[in-house]
Amino acid sequence: MMSAGLVTGAEAGTPPADSDRAATPVLDWVPCPDDNSPPGSECATARVPLSYRDPAGPQISLALTKRLATDPRHRIGTVFTNPGGPGGGGRIPPRLSPAMSARFDIVGFDPRGTHASTPVSCSDDPADDAKLLQVFPITEAQEAEAIRQVGEVTARCARHAGPLLGHMSTANVARDMDLLRRAVGDQQLTYVGTSYGTHVGEAYANLFPQRVRAMALDGVVQPQAVTTGRFPGQGNEPYMYRLAPYRGAQTALRTLLRECAAHPVCKFGEPGATEQSLLRKYEALLAKLRTGPVALTDPRGGTSQVTYQDLVTRVMGALRSGDAEGITSFLQEIHLAVQRPASRSTRADEPQRAYNAWYNAVNCADSDNPRDPKAVGRYARLAEKEAPGFASHWIYAGLPCASWPVSDPDRYTGPWNKPTANPVLLVADRLGDPATPYENAVSTSHLLGRARLLSVDAAGHAAAYDGRSKCVDDTLDSYLTGLKLPPEGTVCAPDHRPFEPN
């Protein structure tokens, strides 16, 4: 449940959010400046309502970039993209595939409150915003300090951020995208969303079900879990506990170790190794690092220190990217170094990024959470039993929501089963996704009004148009260009498996 005492982004008694009453933005496309934009791309700025309860009121800006269709004679329309986050930059659109680049203008935009769109921030000092994404604690003292620092920043955020902070929900991003669809002249939306971008698609599909032409959602967020919970009473659980990405990470880790045991070239392996024996070896490293950091010596004689949190975070990153060879080599380095523990830990400064404010501004606006910061730690410790390290990594990421100062009354919490004009295609790695578990994609495929699940026989985070599976890319091309769904139960193989020669 949403807790009493939160400041809302709209006054009681105001009309409900309604994007249909908002004016269609005018997009004046011009050649993009010489920055990160792709050669030949065009840029524009859209003006959209701050609040869709007051569509003629104050406005904010959205920054867009467009890749022009390479075969304009056979152009189908525009495909909008979102690469994830929340808070990730979306303005630079991906190429997708040659077939997609030929038939569609590909448009990316920075969602409201982020990057080159009208940004929201909790402080004038980026270092302050960086404190919102703490290194997850492993001691009571570290937890107390994290709660103190995060609480100070969220209190300042209430005073500094301004009215936009109360209008940052994913539903408002979906409403913005519907105005952009109108602005480019498309009758229905074609969309590719990855990770958090899948939740943007889920919200759009249920706010505007008859406006869905084609929607590919890759690395699927379960919409009930992220907002209010799938079952009664779950609103008092941290949203990351409900989403359970730590379970997907543990599954991906087991897949990695199983592949390692089966391939002698894997440096973390050993004669006669099994998935279970390598899991015990990995857990022994975690146990050792909980007692103190380990010193590594590089080939030039320099040393660096690796903490428990460093190791978990690095493994998590490798599981997402699929860097099996790199991470298993690193794990073996740690294994060989555990007899030389460092006397103290040194850590590079956390990145000074407004991203941390954007990430929490969206997630905390979307989700129900406990209002006791200590409850976050209690749930993290509960989940540690099934996913050591990964549980704390993920669940403490939601710590700011326990003291977040505003809510968005126009967030969308369901229903999630409205029949769309055309089916939605979901894509998921069935051998372990460390950010969006496969089980969430299965659940969502049954929850949405019209959906089909394309499974990938691999581990990693997201699989569309990343070069890992021609089967996936060809299936998406067929669906997005010709509205052809794959048969029920289709499973795509990756083009390359871990530790196999290229």
Side-chain angles (χ1 to χ4, degrees):
M1 58 185 176
M2 295 299 290
S3 300
L6 291 180
V7 178
T8 63
E11 298 296 327
T14 55
D18 182 4
S19 59
D20 286 345
R21 294 190 295 127
T24 301
V26 176
L27 301 179
D28 293 322
W29 295 102
V30 297
C32 290
D34 186 17
D35 53 11
N36 294 327
S37 304
S41 60
E42 295 181 350
C43 288
T45 299
R47 299 286 291 171
V48 300
L50 169 68
S51 169
Y52 283 95
R53 297 186 180 217
D54 183 16
Q59 293 186 320
I60 57 174
S61 295
L62 303 179
L64 299 86
T65 299
K66 175 172 63 175
R67 293 180 185 268
L68 295 170
T70 59
D71 184 4
R73 288 185 58 195
H74 299 98
R75 177 181 173 275
I76 295 171
T78 298
V79 57
F80 289 90
T81 63
N82 183 295
R91 183 177 64 85
I92 307 301
R95 287 192 179 277
L96 300 180
S97 70
M100 290 295 293
S101 294
R103 304 295 301 279
F104 288 93
D105 293 339
I106 305 174
V107 171
F109 66 99
D110 286 337
R112 59 171 47 216
T114 72
H115 295 276
S117 295
T118 302
V120 70
S121 69
C122 288
S123 169
D124 289 326
D125 182 2
D128 213 26
D129 284 359
K131 295 175 184 176
L132 288 169
L133 196 60
Q134 294 284 319
V135 175
F136 67 88
I138 59 174
T139 68
E140 289 185 6
Q142 290 174 357
E143 181 183 86
E145 179 62 14
I147 290 172
R148 183 190 68 78
Q149 289 195 25
V150 167
E152 288 179 354
V153 178
T154 55
R156 283 195 289 275
C157 200
R159 300 189 296 268
H160 181 274
L164 178 54
L165 192 66
H167 301 282
M168 287 289 292
S169 68
T170 296
N172 279 328
V173 177
R175 294 178 182 110
D176 292 342
M177 191 160 63
D178 195 53
L179 291 193
L180 299 180
R181 173 198 60 78
R182 283 162 45 187
V184 300
D186 285 2
Q187 294 300 306
Q188 291 180 308
L189 179 77
T190 303
Y191 176 71
V192 176
T194 304
S195 195
Y196 163 73
T198 68
H199 190 46
V200 176
E202 292 158 355
Y204 187 96
N206 285 279
L207 288 167
F208 311 106
Q210 294 308 304
R211 300 174 190 172
V212 173
R213 176 192 170 272
M215 183 174 286
L217 306 182
D218 180 28
V220 181
V221 172
Q222 214 284 351
Q224 294 168 313
V226 76
T227 52
T228 58
R230 296 175 61 186
F231 307 105
Q234 286 191 312
N236 288 320
E237 300 172 352
Y239 75 93
M240 280 295 187
Y241 180 80
R242 299 191 301 260
L243 279 171
Y246 47 88
R247 289 179 184 148
Q250 192 71 12
T251 301
L253 174 67
R254 284 183 169 274
T255 296
L256 171 70
L257 297 179
R258 184 167 63 251
E259 294 281 0
C260 181
H263 292 83
V265 297
C266 175
K267 293 184 178 180
F268 193 60
E270 50 199 27
T274 65
E275 172 192 329
Q276 197 60 38
S277 71
L278 293 184
L279 182 62
R280 289 193 296 269
K281 183 178 178 181
Y282 172 77
E283 290 175 343
L285 296 185
L286 292 183
K288 185 67 176 178
L289 284 169
R290 282 191 77 97
T291 68
V294 167
L296 293 183
T297 302
D298 64 37
R300 292 176 294 182
T303 61
S304 60
Q305 299 182 80
V306 179
T307 67
Y308 177 90
Q309 293 99 322
D310 293 331
L311 180 64
V312 170
T313 301
R314 186 155 174 175
V315 171
M316 181 71 71
L319 294 176
R320 289 175 71 116
S321 67
D323 182 16
E325 290 83 356
I327 194 58
T328 49
S329 296
F330 178 72
L331 289 175
Q332 185 65 8
E333 285 187 70
I334 300 293
H335 174 71
L336 296 174
V338 293
Q339 301 306 315
R340 304 187 302 274
S343 59
R344 62 185 179 86
S345 171
T346 59
R347 173 177 296 279
D349 290 339
E350 286 300 298
Q352 299 183 4
R353 300 171 63 195
Y355 168 84
N356 301 328
W358 304 332
Y359 177 88
N360 287 288
V362 177
N363 280 332
C364 300
D366 281 346
S367 61
D368 288 357
N369 288 279
R371 296 298 288 175
D372 175 9
K374 292 183 178 179
V376 177
R378 289 196 292 271
Y379 279 100
R381 289 185 286 276
L382 180 63
E384 279 285 314
K385 299 173 185 177
E386 56 180 314
F390 299 142
S392 291
H393 172 96
W394 277 115
I395 294 172
Y396 277 110
L399 179 61
C401 294
S403 58
W404 200 250
V406 302
S407 63
D408 186 341
D410 298 324
R411 69 174 185 153
Y412 186 80
T413 60
W416 298 102
N417 60 352
K418 294 182 182 178
T420 46
N422 293 290
V424 175
L425 181 60
L426 310 180
V427 184
D429 290 297
R430 70 175 186 174
L431 299 185
D433 184 323
T436 52
Y438 179 71
E439 294 77 10
N440 287 358
V442 174
S443 169
T444 304
S445 71
H446 298 306
L447 176 65
L448 296 180
R450 296 180 69 190
R452 178 69 50 86
L453 176 61
L454 173 66
S455 298
V456 188
D457 194 38
H461 180 48
Y465 297 124
D466 67 355
R468 288 200 293 139
S469 173
K470 185 176 185 297
C471 170
V472 170
D473 294 353
D474 289 349
T475 301
L476 288 173
D477 282 351
S478 181
Y479 165 71
L480 291 165
T481 60
L483 302 181
K484 298 175 183 177
L485 282 173
E488 190 86 42
T490 296
V491 178
C492 278
D495 297 340
H496 175 76
R497 293 193 180 276
F499 309 108
E500 291 181 349
N502 291 320

